[in-house]
Amino acid sequence: MSIDRTKIQWNGWGWAAHQDDLAGNEALWTWLAGELGMPALLATPARPLESIALPPVRLSADARERFTALLGADRVRDDAYERAFHALGRSYHDVLRMRAGDLSTAPDAVLYPRSGDEVLGVLAAAAELGIAVVPYGGGTSVVGAVTASAGPFKSAITVDLSGMDRIVEIDPVSRTATVEAGIHGPALEKALGARGFTLGHFPQSFEFSTVGGWIAHRGAGQGSHGYGRAQDWLAAAKLATPRGVLGAGGFPGSSAGPQLLDLVLGSEGVFGIVTEATLRIVPVPAVSDYRGYLFRDFASGAAAIREAAQAGVAATMLRLSDAAETRFYRAYGAVGKRRGLRDRLADLVLSQRGFDDKACALIAGFEGEADGVTRARAAFDAIARRHKAMALGEGQGRRWKAGRFHGPYLRDPMMDRGVGVDTLETATSWSKLNDLYVAVQSALTGAIQGSAPREGARGVVQCHISHAYPDGASLYFTYIFPRALEREIEQWRAIKTAASDAIAANGGTISHHHGVGEDHLPWIAHEKGALGIDVLRAVKMALDPKGVMNPGKLIPPV
Amino acid sequence: MSIDRTKIQWNGWGWAAHQDDLAGNEALWTWLAGELGMPALLATPARPLESIALPPVRLSADARERFTALLGADRVRDDAYERAFHALGRSYHDVLRMRAGDLSTAPDAVLYPRSGDEVLGVLAAAAELGIAVVPYGGGTSVVGAVTASAGPFKSAITVDLSGMDRIVEIDPVSRTATVEAGIHGPALEKALGARGFTLGHFPQSFEFSTVGGWIAHRGAGQGSHGYGRAQDWLAAAKLATPRGVLGAGGFPGSSAGPQLLDLVLGSEGVFGIVTEATLRIVPVPAVSDYRGYLFRDFASGAAAIREAAQAGVAATMLRLSDAAETRFYRAYGAVGKRRGLRDRLADLVLSQRGFDDKACALIAGFEGEADGVTRARAAFDAIARRHKAMALGEGQGRRWKAGRFHGPYLRDPMMDRGVGVDTLETATSWSKLNDLYVAVQSALTGAIQGSAPREGARGVVQCHISHAYPDGASLYFTYIFPRALEREIEQWRAIKTAASDAIAANGGTISHHHGVGEDHLPWIAHEKGALGIDVLRAVKMALDPKGVMNPGKLIPPV
């Protein structure tokens, strides 16, 4: 069931065969140029792989032989496609580099182990030989967590887990599934679904990301409000390290000291490689009900989500777009379409009911048994009504759900037209949320303007509350901007730095569900404190004394 | 609001003024002797403090002066009462030693800091001078976690946090409360209640234990099914260490690497002292409904709890006694009372409905808004009915709730009559639960018989499921046995070892909510693995390089 790497874009998002009607929609590009304050959007194609020179393979013949002896020749790969495919993750920053032909971080070999023992053997050999090891699940990191950097070493190998995708055991009594960590989202859900279960973890990267990756970056799926985040559904894990296997978890509750499973979660490959995981699973929901609401403004929508989260309303997802995101998607969807009587009537109704350009769309999802879904929906309806929201019905919800994994596919056609699109996310307590929202929004807007390719050019900065908790919520920003073609990396860094500084200064976490990787490294010491970084370094030293595991990620160099 | 230490039993449980009618109930002692296979239960009084010689104070004058300069003379105590009070925790093992006059672990001084900075100063001085530091909240540990051992050092001080009991801030919007860690349960609930909130953390030690202790041992209250365990309600903490403050947490959700708050939880004072904590709070429940059920056997009761936990029935507590516990409490309550017509009728009804000596009592608690309570109770009722249980009504629930903190008070009168009573607890997945139950029960029964003071003497071994999760549950064993008066410590150790070995061999955690301390230390390496212990040692080295923090607890010596 593992994914054929040659069928995925090596330098962009998703299936190579994916066709998007965006590219040929000139009306849309004209409209977008206007939104970005640009006279036009020019073609900026990516460099084809054939035209790009990869760095020479630095792995010694002895090392290569050692790995070949462990895995066999067909599972130690160093052809150009494999090396290019595994050079970087799939962040905007990564895609910029790949499209420009910068494959300086291509690994010297890509290894495909098929068992935990094989992984252990590879890690022990790499530690002995002083070769950096970059763990790779689906490679969909958007924070530079799979960049195949050699760090202080002479060479780097990527260990691709996609060959380890077996279901080890499903225990329907305890409702757990033990699986190999390289299994992809769709294969996992197919196997669980055949037994009547689901994990319910659906990140936007679901099609391509793996269980091991979800654990290693402490992920949260779109439905984590109902199904929980990685730390909620992970019951046990095996972490292969250069010093052997760290087995952690396995109890429903324990007070036997700090739980080491919590160190596996979010470890981003710097301590070892997750090879096997036991997941808490739940029955496939009988009913799935997603629907839209329109709130008068961001504050009233946020208050409704807060009330629902604090009252324990059993929603699967509550996702509130701010006014900018609401307006953008409405305008985007309308481009090139004739506005009929129905559209004009809808506008009239909205305006008569007092919804103006501050209006914010919310998608609420409810999954489970019919009774529970009905009750949760009614409870949220009542809260929404109290906040003078308008129910938009199931159509909006259906459309959101049908396109839930589609967002990342829009980036490549935009990149082909000189447009940059990036996202970042954070979280804080409810009482700090609005200040954080305003600060990051303003930082992004300012940094995009400050780094724009021409006078008058500007970005579109959107935000939604993506996940909510009784004590706070996450903010997910999407920003679209005209690329400064000759200094794109600097532009990316300027925007990223402004936003991240604003997050750090306003009590936000540097990541709610994307992770740290290389990109968030400059802010991690602020978040964890100097002593906290010492603790992470000490744990790494205990498990990876030679420091070969994923150098340059998560833990700042000394 | 802090508790006056002189009003608590120094060598037993609870308020010194507490009067129990158990002591004078000769009918009960005669009945209990019969249950334990003993001809009679003789008086075995504890040694009074005045008759016990404390070990000499080993603290140097210089060191004492140093601490006095930091805290003032009245907060550096070394009188006999303070030293005796803080020598040990409140486990059966501890109480055995205190009653016998073994105060060899009395600390050389007891310090009462009043701020995080004072704690930091004390820890830095202790590290510099090479003095062991034993953090002390309520001192109610039942696993030897506050034993004032000097370890490899020449002297030991106990740092009693009870002077740090302020409410720092209540944030009603984010529903969090920030408090100093030395605050006791009742004072915390009183302050929260005044603002309409509760933490909902009610361990049996609630009257005397502190927020810091709950965090340091990763506790679970009786109502954790509804209110969550420490790791669920802890939002942030400050840990004072010999190297400075480790601040952790503060975000509702974060994927910025491993969360260091998870290392504070369960750290048992070996990394530092929790000085401040931010807790997730909830509204005081409008309704509190506790009621009893009688199941035909343990298996059907366990299945009902499993179904409720997996269906997400919003219970606050589901607590199932096994047949032995059910029988014992029934017989215990009936001792010396005339059985009237009503009792005989009740027996008749039970027997006609097919309930025999395998019957198991369950207490179900539901707290919250009226609607939610009604719904949750109805859902559990339906599950119980399907399992052919009988509803016993609210009387049983009310009685349980009224006596929820009373259990530990029964130990002292029993100890006065040559009877030992101890408890232990574990947890595992649902599919392993029955095997674990049988194995531990059999180990306890055998070890009590094997270490009994005379031929034919035996124990009463009882168990209840105390906490349930979708993937498993905890087992809480209470065992009452005739003490082997000349070799009581060996007897305790033999029983503890047999049960703990059975837990380790059958996939249980060595503790579900009591912690590790000194008593579970021999089993922690089995549970965490050698590499896991290395990780804990590395974290300790990073925060407490001199090793002064609570030596001999949680982490096995190298």
Side-chain angles (χ1 to χ4, degrees):
Chain A
M1 292 205 274
S2 80
I3 289 180
D4 181 350
R5 296 297 188 207
T6 63
K7 294 191 171 152
I8 311 181
Q9 293 275 9
W10 76 270
N11 65 348
W13 187 262
W15 299 112
H18 177 86
Q19 290 293 334
D20 218 291
D21 51 6
L22 190 58
N25 188 340
E26 285 306 322
L28 194 133
W29 298 116
T30 305
W31 167 78
L32 190 57
E35 292 288 309
L36 300 178
M38 295 289 282
L41 297 173
L42 305 176
T44 49
R47 282 184 61 181
L49 182 54
E50 303 75 51
S51 78
I52 304 170
L54 275 100
V57 168
R58 300 158 297 183
L59 206 62
S60 72
D62 278 5
R64 198 177 197 294
E65 216 163 278
R66 183 83 172 268
F67 294 127
T68 304
L70 285 166
L71 304 183
D74 59 326
R75 293 196 275 125
V76 179
R77 309 279 298 271
D78 57 9
D79 55 277
Y81 188 84
E82 284 289 331
R83 293 182 65 212
F85 187 92
H86 291 89
L88 293 157
R90 293 299 178 268
S91 71
Y92 172 69
H93 180 210
D94 294 335
V95 173
L96 267 187
R97 283 183 285 177
M98 289 188 280
R99 292 173 60 93
D102 173 6
L103 293 178
S104 55
T105 58
D108 295 296
V110 180
L111 276 59
Y112 287 90
R114 292 241 178 94
S115 71
D117 282 347
E118 287 188 354
V119 174
L120 276 181
V122 167
L123 298 193
E128 188 194 320
L129 301 168
I131 298 168
V133 178
V134 181
Y136 194 102
T140 58
S141 170
V142 289
V143 293
V146 297
T147 308
S149 318
F153 303 99
K154 289 213 182 76
S155 56
I157 56 170
T158 288
V159 177
D160 186 316
L161 272 277
S162 62
M164 289 175 58
D165 62 353
R166 284 167 289 240
I167 303 284
V168 178
E169 192 203 0
I170 293 179
D171 174 352
V173 174
S174 308
R175 290 198 177 166
T176 55
T178 301
V179 304
E180 287 184 328
I183 192 167
H184 287 87
L188 173 73
E189 283 297 332
K190 192 177 164 194
L192 295 180
R195 301 286 295 273
F197 291 107
T198 179
L199 177 63
H201 187 80
F202 297 104
Q204 206 172 32
S205 63
F206 174 76
E207 295 173 276
F208 306 103
S209 54
T210 63
V211 166
W214 301 341
I215 295 166
H217 84 287
R218 228 173 222 270
Q222 292 165 340
S224 74
H225 198 102
Y227 293 102
R229 304 174 54 112
Q231 69 258 42
D232 301 313
W233 51 246
L234 184 65
K238 288 186 187 165
L239 185 78
T241 81
R243 289 197 56 223
V245 176
L246 180 75
F251 310 113
S254 172
S255 67
Q259 300 296 297
L260 300 173
L261 197 58
D262 293 320
L263 288 174
V264 174
L265 284 154
S267 57
E268 300 194 355
V270 306
F271 302 150
I273 298 182
V274 180
T275 56
E276 194 179 291
T278 300
L279 319 171
R280 300 187 175 102
I281 54 178
V282 294
V284 171
V287 176
S288 171
D289 182 323
Y290 283 73
R291 48 185 66 221
Y293 294 84
L294 194 66
F295 283 79
R296 274 153 214 281
D297 52 30
F298 196 57
S300 65
I305 291 181
R306 176 167 72 85
E307 282 176 35
Q310 292 182 342
V313 172
T316 301
M317 187 186 86
L318 295 170
R319 180 188 173 100
L320 174 74
S321 294
D322 70 355
E325 190 166 289
T326 303
R327 272 200 313 270
F328 183 82
Y329 279 106
R330 214 158 161 244
Y332 176 96
V335 168
K337 288 184 190 140
R338 259 198 58 174
R339 289 179 53 75
L341 181 63
R342 230 176 120 162
D343 297 304
R344 290 198 302 270
L345 268 176
D347 284 353
L348 189 67
V349 169
L350 283 180
S351 120
Q352 280 189 338
R353 291 195 186 171
F355 290 87
D356 56 21
D357 62 357
K358 294 194 295 295
C360 292
L362 181 146
I363 305 288
F366 307 94
E367 300 185 4
E369 292 295 311
D371 280 6
V373 164
T374 303
R375 198 158 51 232
R377 201 185 61 212
F380 187 73
D381 261 344
I383 292 171
R385 255 199 315 275
R386 242 189 354 263
H387 286 281
K388 302 184 179 160
M390 186 164 71
L392 301 178
E394 292 181 74
Q396 302 271 355
R398 259 199 309 272
R399 276 190 292 281
W400 177 85
K401 208 178 168 194
R404 70 192 297 183
F405 309 131
H406 187 66
Y409 283 99
L410 302 179
R411 186 175 55 188
D412 295 324
M414 289 199 181
M415 302 278 286
D416 287 338
R417 296 298 289 256
V419 176
V421 51
D422 201 357
T423 67
L424 58 81
E425 27 80 80
T426 178
T428 194
S429 61
W430 285 113
S431 43
K432 294 182 199 153
L433 196 70
N434 197 58
D435 286 351
L436 179 63
Y437 168 64
V438 170
V440 178
Q441 191 188 44
S442 145
L444 285 170
T445 306
I448 290 172
Q449 235 157 347
S451 66
R454 51 176 283 150
E455 188 80 17
R458 60 182 172 264
V460 176
V461 177
Q462 314 161 10
C463 179
H464 60 262
I465 293 181
S466 62
H467 300 75
Y469 305 87
D471 53 335
S474 65
L475 296 172
Y476 192 103
F477 289 88
T478 304
Y479 39 105
I480 303 171
F481 52 95
R483 280 153 59 196
L485 294 175
E486 297 307 307
R487 46 183 172 84
E488 297 183 306
I489 300 289
E490 294 85 331
Q491 182 188 31
W492 168 79
R493 202 174 302 282
I495 299 170
K496 182 81 187 164
T497 300
S500 301
D501 287 349
I503 287 171
N506 286 276
T509 172
I510 196 63
S511 176
H512 170 267
H513 60 271
H514 285 168
V516 179
E518 290 187 348
D519 293 356
H520 290 147
L521 204 59
W523 293 273
I524 196 69
H526 172 87
E527 180 155 337
K528 303 284 188 192
L531 213 46
I533 297 297
D534 280 358
V535 167
L536 293 179
R537 280 191 188 126
V539 173
K540 181 170 174 75
M541 189 58 79
L543 297 173
D544 173 29
K546 297 283 176 62
V548 294
M549 296 306 305
N550 216 11
K553 323 301 191 307
L554 181 59
I555 304 177
V558 183
Chain B
M1 294 205 273
S2 80
I3 290 181
D4 180 350
R5 295 298 189 209
T6 63
K7 293 192 170 152
I8 310 181
Q9 292 275 9
W10 75 271
N11 66 348
W13 187 263
W15 298 113
H18 177 86
Q19 290 293 335
D20 216 292
D21 52 4
L22 190 59
N25 188 341
E26 283 307 322
L28 193 134
W29 297 115
T30 304
W31 168 78
L32 190 57
E35 291 287 310
L36 300 177
M38 295 289 282
L41 296 175
L42 304 178
T44 50
R47 281 184 61 182
L49 182 54
E50 304 74 51
S51 78
I52 304 170
L54 274 102
V57 168
R58 300 159 297 182
L59 207 61
S60 72
D62 278 3
R64 199 178 195 294
E65 216 162 279
R66 183 83 173 267
F67 294 128
T68 303
L70 285 166
L71 305 184
D74 58 327
R75 294 195 274 126
V76 179
R77 308 280 298 270
D78 57 7
D79 56 278
Y81 188 84
E82 284 289 331
R83 294 182 66 211
F85 188 91
H86 292 90
L88 292 157
R90 293 299 178 267
S91 72
Y92 171 69
H93 180 213
D94 293 335
V95 174
L96 267 185
R97 283 184 284 175
M98 289 187 280
R99 292 173 60 93
D102 173 6
L103 293 179
S104 55
T105 58
D108 295 296
V110 181
L111 276 58
Y112 287 92
R114 292 236 178 97
S115 71
D117 282 347
E118 286 188 355
V119 174
L120 276 181
V122 167
L123 299 193
E128 188 194 320
L129 301 169
I131 297 168
V133 177
V134 181
Y136 194 101
T140 57
S141 170
V142 289
V143 293
V146 296
T147 308
S149 317
F153 303 98
K154 288 212 182 77
S155 55
I157 57 171
T158 288
V159 176
D160 186 316
L161 272 277
S162 62
M164 289 174 59
D165 62 354
R166 283 168 289 241
I167 303 283
V168 178
E169 191 203 359
I170 293 180
D171 174 352
V173 174
S174 307
R175 289 199 178 165
T176 54
T178 300
V179 304
E180 287 185 326
I183 193 167
H184 287 88
L188 173 73
E189 284 296 333
K190 193 176 164 194
L192 294 180
R195 300 285 296 273
F197 291 107
T198 178
L199 178 63
H201 188 79
F202 297 104
Q204 205 170 33
S205 63
F206 174 76
E207 295 172 277
F208 306 103
S209 53
T210 62
V211 166
W214 301 341
I215 294 166
H217 84 287
R218 227 171 223 274
Q222 291 165 341
S224 74
H225 199 101
Y227 294 101
R229 304 174 56 113
Q231 70 257 40
D232 301 313
W233 51 246
L234 184 65
K238 287 186 188 167
L239 186 77
T241 80
R243 290 198 55 223
V245 176
L246 180 74
F251 310 112
S254 171
S255 68
Q259 300 297 296
L260 300 172
L261 198 59
D262 294 320
L263 288 174
V264 174
L265 284 154
S267 56
E268 299 193 356
V270 307
F271 302 149
I273 298 183
V274 180
T275 57
E276 193 179 292
T278 301
L279 320 172
R280 300 186 176 102
I281 54 178
V282 294
V284 171
V287 176
S288 170
D289 181 324
Y290 284 73
R291 46 186 65 221
Y293 293 84
L294 195 65
F295 282 80
R296 275 152 213 280
D297 52 31
F298 196 57
S300 65
I305 291 181
R306 177 167 72 85
E307 282 176 34
Q310 293 181 343
V313 172
T316 301
M317 187 187 84
L318 295 170
R319 181 188 171 100
L320 175 73
S321 293
D322 71 353
E325 190 166 287
T326 303
R327 273 201 311 272
F328 182 82
Y329 279 104
R330 213 157 162 244
Y332 177 95
V335 167
K337 290 188 189 134
R338 259 198 59 175
R339 289 179 55 72
L341 182 62
R342 229 178 120 159
D343 297 304
R344 289 198 301 272
L345 268 176
D347 284 354
L348 190 66
V349 169
L350 283 179
S351 121
Q352 279 189 339
R353 294 195 184 172
F355 290 87
D356 57 20
D357 62 357
K358 293 194 295 296
C360 291
L362 181 147
I363 306 288
F366 307 94
E367 299 184 5
E369 291 296 310
D371 280 5
V373 164
T374 304
R375 199 160 51 234
R377 200 185 62 211
F380 188 73
D381 261 344
I383 292 171
R385 257 199 314 277
R386 244 188 354 263
H387 285 282
K388 301 184 178 159
M390 189 163 73
L392 301 179
E394 292 181 73
Q396 302 270 354
R398 259 198 308 272
R399 277 190 292 281
W400 177 84
K401 208 179 168 193
R404 69 190 299 181
F405 308 132
H406 186 67
Y409 284 98
L410 302 178
R411 186 174 57 188
D412 294 324
M414 289 199 179
M415 302 280 286
D416 287 337
R417 295 298 290 255
V419 175
V421 51
D422 202 358
T423 67
L424 58 82
E425 30 79 79
T426 178
T428 195
S429 62
W430 286 111
S431 43
K432 293 183 199 154
L433 195 70
N434 198 59
D435 286 352
L436 178 63
Y437 168 64
V438 171
V440 178
Q441 190 188 45
S442 146
L444 284 170
T445 306
I448 290 172
Q449 235 157 347
S451 66
R454 52 176 285 151
E455 187 82 18
R458 60 184 173 264
V460 175
V461 177
Q462 314 161 9
C463 179
H464 61 262
I465 292 180
S466 61
H467 300 75
Y469 305 87
D471 53 334
S474 65
L475 296 172
Y476 192 103
F477 289 88
T478 305
Y479 39 104
I480 303 171
F481 51 95
R483 278 153 61 195
L485 294 176
E486 298 305 309
R487 45 182 172 83
E488 297 183 305
I489 301 289
E490 294 87 329
Q491 182 189 32
W492 168 79
R493 202 174 302 282
I495 299 170
K496 183 81 187 164
T497 301
S500 301
D501 287 349
I503 287 170
N506 286 275
T509 172
I510 197 63
S511 175
H512 170 267
H513 60 271
H514 284 169
V516 179
E518 289 187 349
D519 294 355
H520 290 146
L521 204 59
W523 292 273
I524 196 68
H526 172 87
E527 182 156 334
K528 303 283 190 194
L531 212 46
I533 297 297
D534 280 356
V535 168
L536 293 179
R537 281 191 188 126
V539 174
K540 182 171 174 73
M541 188 60 77
L543 297 173
D544 173 30
K546 297 283 175 62
V548 294
M549 295 307 305
N550 217 9
K553 323 300 192 307
L554 181 58
I555 303 176
V558 183

